[in-house]
Amino acid sequence: MVKEYQDIIESICVRFNNVISPFDVLAWLENFDAEDRKKALIVLNHFEFFSTNDIVKEFNLGLSKIANEQYPDKNIYILPLGKIGKSGAAMVYYIKKTPVASNNKKIKIIQNSDIPNITEDSVVVIVDDFAGTGGSIVDFYNSIKLSLPNPVDVCALTVAYMEKAEANLKKSNILVFGNKRCAAFIKRGSVFGYFPQMTIIRDFCFTYGSKLYPEQKYKDKKTKLHPLGYLNSQSLIGFDHSIPNNTLPIIWADSKVESSDQKWIPLFPRRGSLLIERSKQFRESQYYWISLMFKLGLNRGLFDWEEKYDKDTMQLVSIIFLKKRHRSPLSICQKLGLNIDSYNAIIEQGQAKNLFDADEKLTDLAISIFDEIQKKSRFQKNKISEALMITEEIIYVPKKFRGNS
């Protein structure tokens, strides 16, 4: 039924803070045979997406437990996993946003070069967004442990971690904080319900996952990517800034289907050509929006005509559009190829033009400009209306997800 299908897609997009569009969902569903698209939507309904606000909230809860309950009398050193210029930058950004880190003088955020300054009898908190197997955290710990003072406590702070990660970290005496999750197709307690129902979804995910990462290659140890995720993790986790490869590959894989010239279209590409292509397409689309903005005279008092296609103008308008779609600063940086410093400089320009407030949120002026441009552009609305004309009957997916409607 057309209406039911449309409601499901729109509900999913809202659930994920509109970081994906109906086009993205429909394109992704085309990977599957028509009779399997119901199963694909069931899988998507159980995919857990953490927005920037969710990540900050979960880090704050975990850090509060560490600083106020587990180690109330010790100095705490926050050490992001990975280099500051890479994944570490994301972790630092989120931690700095937490009230606990901002208000507790015992907490210090450091990088690898600061390890020699760690004092004895303190706590080192290795921070990563997700621990699927715990391998990355253990490897990182092993690479620094000889430089750590003795005694020192070491723990891991995550947004979410798998049971397998907890067991592996425990072997290295690393206590992990975050939301524990079970493998998607565990025999008892699966998110997909009782065993017969779960096996239907598991077989579906395995069948299509095998087309992307054949099990035989995994068994032959030619790859660590299993049809159900890295080292068979069977995760259903994603973040505003990235998707772990522990998550089911049918959601994120950007590769050719095995023994075929068909290219798999991911819903949340992790990296690769499609991610770059989507970013390029978005930047190119901004020429259209800026042209329309100037044509409608919405640039008056904000941008001169000679600034129409200026780099700063393009980036500023792009940020307005991405913020309206609830994209986080980090995902905006990824989309536009910016670093955090460049992003902050553009935000300051926008604040000077009364487009962003002191909290970096869109002002009424910025929202009115966006709404006016969108109102005048019929292109997207027409495409959505045509794309959603699907007669296949789809089962209803509840509109409640992680407590949000």
Side-chain angles (χ1 to χ4, degrees), residues 21 143 198 281 310:
S21 71
S143 72
M198 177 274 286
Q281 288 174 348
D310 183 77

Side-chain angles (χ1 to χ4, degrees), residues 16-20 49 52 240-241 319 321-332 334-335 343:
F16 299 151
N17 287 335
N18 294 303
V19 298
I20 54 172
F49 179 82
T52 292
D240 205 358
H241 60 279
I319 290 175
F321 276 73
L322 289 169
K323 277 185 171 290
K324 193 67 170 68
R325 294 170 184 170
H326 308 287
R327 300 305 295 265
S328 72
L330 289 172
S331 63
I332 290 173
Q334 290 176 340
K335 194 87 168 175
Y343 169 84

Side-chain angles (χ1 to χ4, degrees), residues 285-299 302-303 317-318 320-321 325 365-381:
S285 72
Q286 294 312 290
Y287 283 97
Y288 169 76
W289 293 94
I290 289 173
S291 175
L292 193 54
M293 181 177 73
F294 275 75
K295 184 176 180 180
L296 296 171
L298 300 173
N299 62 300
L302 296 171
F303 305 101
V317 172
S318 295
I320 290 173
F321 276 73
R325 294 170 184 170
L365 174 61
I367 293 172
S368 67
I369 291 172
F370 176 92
D371 290 344
E372 198 62 32
I373 293 174
Q374 193 172 53
K375 189 189 305 180
K376 297 295 181 182
S377 174
R378 304 300 179 188
F379 175 71
Q380 186 177 16
K381 183 178 179 181

